[in-house]
Amino acid sequence: MQDRQTVTVLLFEQFELLDALGPLHMFGLLPEYYQLQIITTNGQYVTSTQGINMQPTLSFNDTISAGTLIIPGGAGMRFATHNKDILAWLKKTAPQQHIICSTSTGAALLANAGLLNNGKATTTQKNLDWVSQFGHNIQWQTSARWVRYGNIFTASGSSASLDMSLAIIGHQHGDSIARRIAADTEYLWLNDPNDDPFAPLHLVK
């Protein structure tokens, strides 16, 4: 059996619960392939926007092995985006990862760290004006469910994190496994990355 790949979720105060736990749930259904872990700046628990406390397994003092790094969104992203410790850690750690991904406003952190420059990405369309102020020469896709650009995946809204996670699983282990996970969770996988049915709700054209 091949070595398991780490899936690391970066958490911060007031993160969005579904953005973090949705991907963890999908990857966690394949324990033979993925090892899950949560990291915060100091290794102390953080509280989601919904008021749920999460205890991390790692802090920035720990070294994470190469794998998949997930950046959720949430109300706290407006502070996390300007956190010097988080930005420095991300700039150092992200290049070592096989896959980097964000959900919703998490793309703002990737953009502010310079990881999306001259590339394509998406984010939640209701916050596009705020997110798009970060980074340089980023082609923001306004009707995409998720976008893959090189080894970086960005998802639009919170539920799109599930679709993106299944896409990554399919990319790494085949669509048949991704479809099995979707069926096991009784989830209707929106597997067309270019079609976000929720984009029109935010008057995106």
Side-chain angles (χ1 to χ4, degrees), residues 100-192:
I100 309 159
C101 49
S102 68
T103 295
S104 186
T105 55
L109 186 56
L110 295 185
N112 205 29
L115 297 171
L116 301 181
N117 289 346
N118 304 308
K120 296 180 180 180
T122 194
T123 185
T124 173
Q125 304 309 318
K126 64 182 178 181
N127 293 120
L128 178 61
D129 288 344
W130 178 75
V131 174
S132 61
Q133 70 180 294
F134 300 104
H136 302 286
N137 195 33
I138 301 170
Q139 298 177 47
W140 293 103
Q141 308 300 297
T142 58
S143 61
R145 189 68 173 160
W146 75 89
V147 170
R148 178 190 174 192
Y149 191 81
N151 71 328
I152 298 178
F153 288 73
T154 53
S156 55
S158 292
S159 64
S161 67
L162 303 173
D163 301 313
M164 177 183 67
S165 298
L166 290 169
I168 293 170
I169 291 170
H171 167 67
Q172 293 184 325
H173 302 292
D175 272 0
S176 61
I177 291 181
R179 292 182 184 282
R180 173 171 64 82
I181 294 301
D184 287 347
T185 54
E186 298 186 356
Y187 179 71
L188 296 176
W189 180 19
L190 301 180
N191 63 348
D192 182 353

Side-chain angles (χ1 to χ4, degrees), residues 9-15 39-43 46 59-60 69-72 76-95 105-106 108-115:
V9 178
L10 171 64
L11 294 187
F12 47 87
E13 281 293 332
Q14 298 297 296
F15 70 93
I39 192 167
T40 62
T41 57
N42 56 11
V46 292
S59 76
F60 284 0
L69 175 63
I70 300 173
I71 312 296
M77 180 51 65
R78 292 182 181 265
F79 300 98
T81 303
H82 301 285
N83 185 300
K84 294 180 179 180
D85 291 336
I86 293 178
L87 286 170
W89 179 85
L90 189 57
K91 290 177 182 179
K92 175 184 176 181
T93 305
T105 55
L109 186 56
L110 295 185
N112 205 29
L115 297 171

